[in-house]
Amino acid sequence: MMQKLPTWADVVLVPLISLLLAAFVSALVLLAIGQSPSEALKVMVEGALVSPYGWGYTLYYATSFIFTGLAVTIAYHAGLFNIGAEGQAQLGGLGVALVCLALPWPHWTLALPAAMVGAALFGAAWAAIPAYLQAKRGSHIVITTIMFNYIASALLIYILVEVLRPDGQMDPASARFPAGTKLPTLHEIPGLSLIFTKQVPANVTLFIALAACVVIWAILWRTRLGYEIRAFGKSEAAARYAGISPVKVTMIAMLISGALAGLMAINNVMGESERLLQNASEGAGFIGIAVALMGRNHPLGVLLAALLFGFLYQGGAELGLWTSIPIELRTVVQGLVILFTGALDQMVRMMLGVVFRTRRPQAA
Amino acid sequence: MQGQGTLGRQASAAPFAIELRGISKAFGPVQANKDISIQVAKGSIHGIIGENGAGKSTLMSILYGFYKADSGEILIDGKPTTIPDSQSAIRAGIGMVFQHFKLVQNFTVLENVILGAEEGAMLAPSLSKARKVLGDLAREYELDVDPDALIEDLSVGHQQRVEILKALYRQADILILDEPTGVLTPAEADHLFRILNGLKDQGKTIILITHKLREIMEITDMVSVMRRGQMVATVTTAQTSPEELAELMVGRKVLLHVHKDPATPGAAVLEVENLRVVDDQKVERLRGISLTVRAGEILGIAGVAGNGQSELLEVLGGIAKGSGTIRLNGKELDLTGKFSDGRSRRADGIAHVPEDRQVLGLIMDFSAWENVAFGYHHAPEYQKNALFMDNDAIRADTEKKMATFDVRPPIPTLAAKNFSGGNQQKIVVAREIERNPDLLLIGQPTRGVDIGAIEFIHKQIVALRDQGKAILLVSVELDEIMSLSDRIAVMFDGRIMGERDPATTNERELGLLMAGVGGESA
Amino acid sequence: DPAIIFDLGGKFDKSFNEAAFNGATKWAQETGGTFKELEMQSEAQREQALRRLAESGANPVVMTGFAFGDVLNSVAPDFPDTKFAIIDVDWLDQPNILQIAFSEHEGSYLVGMMAGLASKTNTVGFVGGMDVPLIRKFGCGYAQGVKAVKPDATVILNMTGTTPAAWNDPVKGAEIAKAQKSQGADVIYAAAGGTGVGVLQAAADEGILSIGVDSNQNYLFPGKVLTSMLKRVDNAVYEAFKAGADLETGKVKVMNLASDGVGYALDEHNAALVTPEMKATVDAAAEKIKSGELVVHDYMSDDTCPAATF
Amino acid sequence: MDYATFLQILDTTVRLATPLLLACLAGLYSERAGVFDIGLEGKMLMAAMTSAAVAALTGSVWVGLAAGILGALLFALVHGLASITFRGNQLISGVALNFVASGITVLIAQDLFGQGGRTPPLSGGARFNAISLPFVDSLSVVPILGPMYREVISGHTFLVYVAAALVPATWWLLYRTRFGLRLRAVGENPASVDTAGVSVIRLRFTAVLITGVLCGLAGAYMSTGLQAGFGREMTAGRGYIALAALIFAKWRPWQALGATMLFGFFQALALRPDVIAKTGLSIPVPALDALPYILTVVVLAGIVGKAIPPRAGGEPYVKER
Ligand SMILES: Nc1ncnc2c1ncn2[C@@H]1O[C@H](COP(=O)(O)OP(=O)(O)OP(=O)(O)O)[C@@H](O)[C@H]1O
Ligand SMILES: Nc1ncnc2c1ncn2[C@@H]1O[C@H](COP(=O)(O)OP(=O)(O)OP(=O)(O)O)[C@@H](O)[C@H]1O
Ligand SMILES: [Mg+2]
Ligand SMILES: [Mg+2]
């Protein structure tokens, strides 16, 4: 029997303990392959959090994860499990590339809004088909979005190789974007450049991501649309009773979700690589799932979880650079975090339930 | 108390088929069963009654090993028996027909019957044996079903037979039936009772859970009454009366009739002509309904559950699509297109208290204030500006409505799931009635609601009528229909069988119509 | 310390990256020095890896593969004091970059001759990795070599894919090899990084001969690998490491047959397969190429091939 | 395309369809029992690594096979714990385990062999070798069928024939035995099984463990049959294609054979751009790669017959709210 936990325990304690469990198992894995967990942690912390350089990367990754985390979050509130953020982010990258390459942009302030529209449109379009199939034909969105991830990657390979690759270039990538599309990095922003004294990949997209957190929060809890999305996500039957159109909510929620996932491309494609590469999203769509889960599907939580995963990602990269621990440790840790926060959370709750049950009589 | 009578028999007669001692069971914070003891004599039909949520199903599920009791003991034929799972219950000779059938929809009857009672690792021998046994049982007890039919193609009545066959195939001596007649027409119910009497004559023991006092009086030997998780009495049926049972059930004298003045009907508000609804499985659930509700009157729709009442409410409320014509105050409503949704209906002046508040009427995880805006979240007074909702305004409105309807506790931020059923219903009724609609659709207004709330809700309905509003009331409780309605229409199999004046009709006449016997319309 | 970044196949691809790794290890063993190393996992990491190594003070920074070209071009100016060396690239123009290009067509020509001489079916195969001009350069040189000894021979050319995944798909390599065998090929040249291991494996299983690439792969399936086209990436890396901070940059260094940058492998594992006549024929051609008497057409010079169509 | 080429492509099809078929049948058991499993990929990968690693260390492919099965079983067990015992989200558990498998296989292989997450190449008794079926030579003279028998049917490794045999075996188990009846029932309506006195938990765990065993076979085939050694991410999305095939097959064993053969055929075709080019059609290779996924979406959209999953699928069985 499930013991009901106090809300604070559910919101704070459960993710925290899940995280600790994931860390514990990761440490066991490290010990098993003959590495020192404390050494690994030290490298990760130093590489990701101690220097402005580390923060530059941690924030860069976090920016991407905020977008995909929010994408998963808004779909989740509509009762839809969007596993397709990865494919949507890839298509978003295509949108960014097409916009950036279309014109000799004079200044980034002009290119950025246009690229955002491109990213959001392409991401949303890629979410639209699974959404439509779910809304109209009841095709399970989890499976269709998985399929669409693969279709996206095949499509992108085709476009990069056959269409966007400039003559004479060997790697499957688009041409470099014109100089006028270069987004200022934190190093180039007055004020912040005092902290970030060297070139870092984190760029103005970070502020767009923060704004997106606020916007998504406002949509979900302050607008009729958000109200309808949440109601529909809790009970489709009741939503129908209240005159909320399942098709409309499913479509809109997924379109927003896809647009958010697509917007991630502003960060990595426009802000960092400045050209479209194959598999540019690098699994950030999947990490979005973990970020949303950890963040309890709340924009503030997503922000914090994105920072955590940004740390994991950057710290993991540093492990790959400076230790003999393969970078794949990062994937293992991510998997464990998802496992413990998303699938074994009930186990944590049960454990806590026992604690709270034994504690209560003493307190009374 | 008459309950002592049973104890008196203990010394002389054979051991009880079943004896439960001190059974308790909690689901989290809900104490579903509290220290329950009951004895059931061998070869008898023992009734159990109680309001919704009294704990009847829980108790029987414990006996069947589906749930584990927190404490207490079970004696079968006088021997203490532990029933940790259903397998043990089956071994102890207990069979149970659940309130919600436990059948595999896309299996055949035969496959469902042998499931869990196979003869060996191979299916073939089990199937041929079951085919033969089923033939025998069918002859013996009038339990015909096609052994090769898929469950999903069978009517509920037949599905129930499969459940009974399952139990008999496992050679159950003790048969538990949980509200078996809720889904049956009176004729099917009579058939069932013949079967039960036949089984009783064979020496089998039967426990029957039902809400219907008539059935208790008709078929049981003894009856136990439960209230709020406790066993309040066990009496010999012959020595009690429906009134006494009702009083035991709710814990105080029941008001049989609602006080109301005669109706003064005005112009027709709702006119329905030849309304048809086809469900997802392509089954026609409404087969040409025509009816009229006028201002200032309550039209009651009586009928056994599942005869199209839900579909009628849903199509009127904009949840389901249909064909035919519906006019509200003379204006024809959209039945299939863009405006055939709940939002349009509300805009047209139709309020709807749905039959199932937990599934339709409320979002259980939403707070009370969010639920008060539910369906009316587009209302201008709930908006701050073009973009944002005015949550403060909704909370203020909620406080007001909670005060008017005496919702307890009056905390707008409390989640709906944390209110009791009666208070949940009050929130829904408050939300819909306070909108001052021209037409109120109200389904099962008092299902699972305690008696105080029943009276209150009934009064609100009558008050709305007296303001000159039209009300369409659907209820499976004949008493409620009889006491509230100004006119009664009886539904059977998607049709209106006839209309009666509550002043001149009686339960017997309505019961016949509900069974599809002797209606005037086809 | 010097540093090296390996491309997607990873330093144990038994081929291109492994050759680079061997060069680095050789330097470390000889000098007792240490070097930083890094394996790419994805396209998008290239820039971070490069910057991080440059920032850490590594000098020179060597990277294997043309895929780094574009990224290096934008990173190098930010680290004017760091020297970079990049293999398989010759189109950049930065003062602190040394570009190292190999004449793979020449080496491929030699192993093509070997294949032509060893083939009994008059049909030989070529399995390329990612379909890019560089790999066509291998294929084209190979085809010219085959035709030089057997003008009527058939050369089946297949590429594994169009993305970097093509460097690391042994299953596909094996299946393509099997397909080529069924089309009659009895010698198959794999120029496909990690994918080539699958080609060599399948060829060994099917009882035909294969030709390795970049590193000496003869030992992988002794008696089954006819020879290996050596691309002395190991030497390139070794020399870059040895030069250290004094590495001469701002130019393209061409490593060809004459400078021992490419060649073919002969050792105890394939001694039985290479007859003295074969060796003599091939060595003679090699001398002619070195002397400039024989010019092997370079596909990348004009994107055409006289001996094969892609 | 001439007959020999056609046979050659079919031969490749059989080889490439085998891991899909094994994984698809694996998924069938779990999903028929009501436990969704998008973690087929991870289990295969894990099995591929453990089997190749142990085969490399012991020199015996049989010990390797056993290790592969154990590796996949370990993951199946975690999935069972998460989704059956602790009633967690089955989809999330699957996603998570795929992540873990993707990373931990490399960590372990790197720790054991220090070759960048690869195992050394397997040879001799450490891998499955092709089996020549009887009468290959004498039957070769039979027109059409003779070459077909020689090229397509004969000459595969042990696990290919195991996979083929598993199709009728699964059908028989599912539709002719008590276990199959219960398994199907628990995926449709676990309460029916529970009230019939059969443990839902045990049934589902059994199914999930069978899934583990079959994924073990699929992964072991990848690294010791199809290839000779493990390499990082070597399953390359085959677990997801198998899942797609399972939907395409509407959760039925014979149709699973058909679906995986079809998808295997696409993969085989994608390896032969020369053959496609000769047909005059210009189908880009990425389009062929994407075809299984597109077909699955088409099926899911109900355009080619609707795929109705087991009704209780994806939902943990909760008796008490
Ligand atoms: N599986 C369960 N999990 C949690 N709570 C439950 C469960 N089943 C029943 N309850 C709760 O236990 C109480 C008793 O329920 P039970 O179903 O036994 O009532 P009942 O008398 O059969 O009512 P009804 O007439 O509506 O069938 C109710 O409050 C109900 O909400
Ligand atoms: N089905 C309907 N029935 C009645 N009125 C409607 C209906 N749909 C829309 N309207 C009215 O038309 C106007 C514009 O519709 P619209 O759908 O844009 O509503 P809205 O207030 O913007 O809500 P939302 O932002 O949730 O879509 C609203 O003022 C609404 O009252
Ligand atoms: Mg609107
Ligand atoms: Mg009940």
Side-chain angles (χ1 to χ4, degrees), chain B residues 70-138:
Chain B
D70 299 337
S71 61
E73 43 173 345
I74 300 174
L75 288 79
I76 307 285
D77 289 330
K79 287 189 292 288
T81 312
T82 51
I83 306 189
D85 53 27
S86 300
Q87 189 75 62
S88 322
I90 294 168
R91 244 182 280 122
I94 303 174
M96 177 156 174
V97 176
F98 284 84
Q99 194 170 357
H100 305 285
F101 300 151
K102 312 283 183 196
L103 297 170
V104 183
Q105 289 293 317
N106 58 357
F107 275 20
T108 64
V109 169
L110 225 44
E111 287 174 322
N112 267 290
V113 166
I114 61 167
L115 181 63
E118 305 89 345
E119 298 291 311
M122 296 302 114
L123 280 186
S126 315
L127 286 169
S128 57
K129 178 190 161 195
R131 190 180 295 278
K132 194 182 141 298
V133 174
L134 242 50
D136 296 345
L137 289 172

Side-chain angles (χ1 to χ4, degrees), chain A residues 224 248, chain B residues 339 341 343-344 347 378:
Chain A
R224 293 180 295 281
K248 177 184 141 185
Chain B
F339 295 105
D341 64 356
R343 184 171 168 191
S344 308
H378 290 277

Side-chain angles (χ1 to χ4, degrees), chain B residues 315-377:
Chain B
V315 71
L316 290 174
I319 303 172
K321 314 235 180 232
S323 64
T325 14
I326 302 178
R327 273 189 297 276
L328 191 78
N329 292 321
K331 176 191 153 207
E332 187 164 336
L333 301 185
D334 183 6
L335 277 179
T336 51
K338 187 172 181 307
F339 295 105
S340 64
D341 64 356
R343 184 171 168 191
S344 308
R345 292 289 192 275
R346 285 183 184 83
D348 291 327
I350 298 178
H352 179 185
V353 176
E355 289 183 302
D356 192 331
R357 60 178 169 263
Q358 302 204 335
V359 172
L360 291 184
L362 295 167
I363 300 283
M364 300 301 279
D365 288 329
F366 272 14
S367 60
W369 69 267
E370 283 175 302
N371 272 301
V372 161
F374 196 49
Y376 300 96
H377 50 283

Side-chain angles (χ1 to χ4, degrees), chain B residues 55-68:
Chain B
K56 308 178 293 287
S57 300
T58 304
L59 184 66
M60 289 303 114
S61 299
I62 288 170
L63 180 54
Y64 188 64
F66 193 65
Y67 294 146
K68 256 188 228 114

Side-chain angles (χ1 to χ4, degrees), chain D residues 197-241:
Chain D
V198 181
S199 163
V200 172
I201 307 257
R202 198 174 333 148
L203 257 178
R204 287 194 162 169
F205 253 108
T206 311
V208 165
L209 294 182
I210 293 178
T211 301
V213 171
L214 295 192
C215 281
L217 295 181
Y221 172 77
M222 284 298 301
S223 62
T224 61
L226 188 61
Q227 275 182 257
F230 171 82
R232 99 178 55 209
E233 288 291 341
M234 78 179 299
T235 46
R238 285 180 172 80
Y240 289 105
I241 300 193

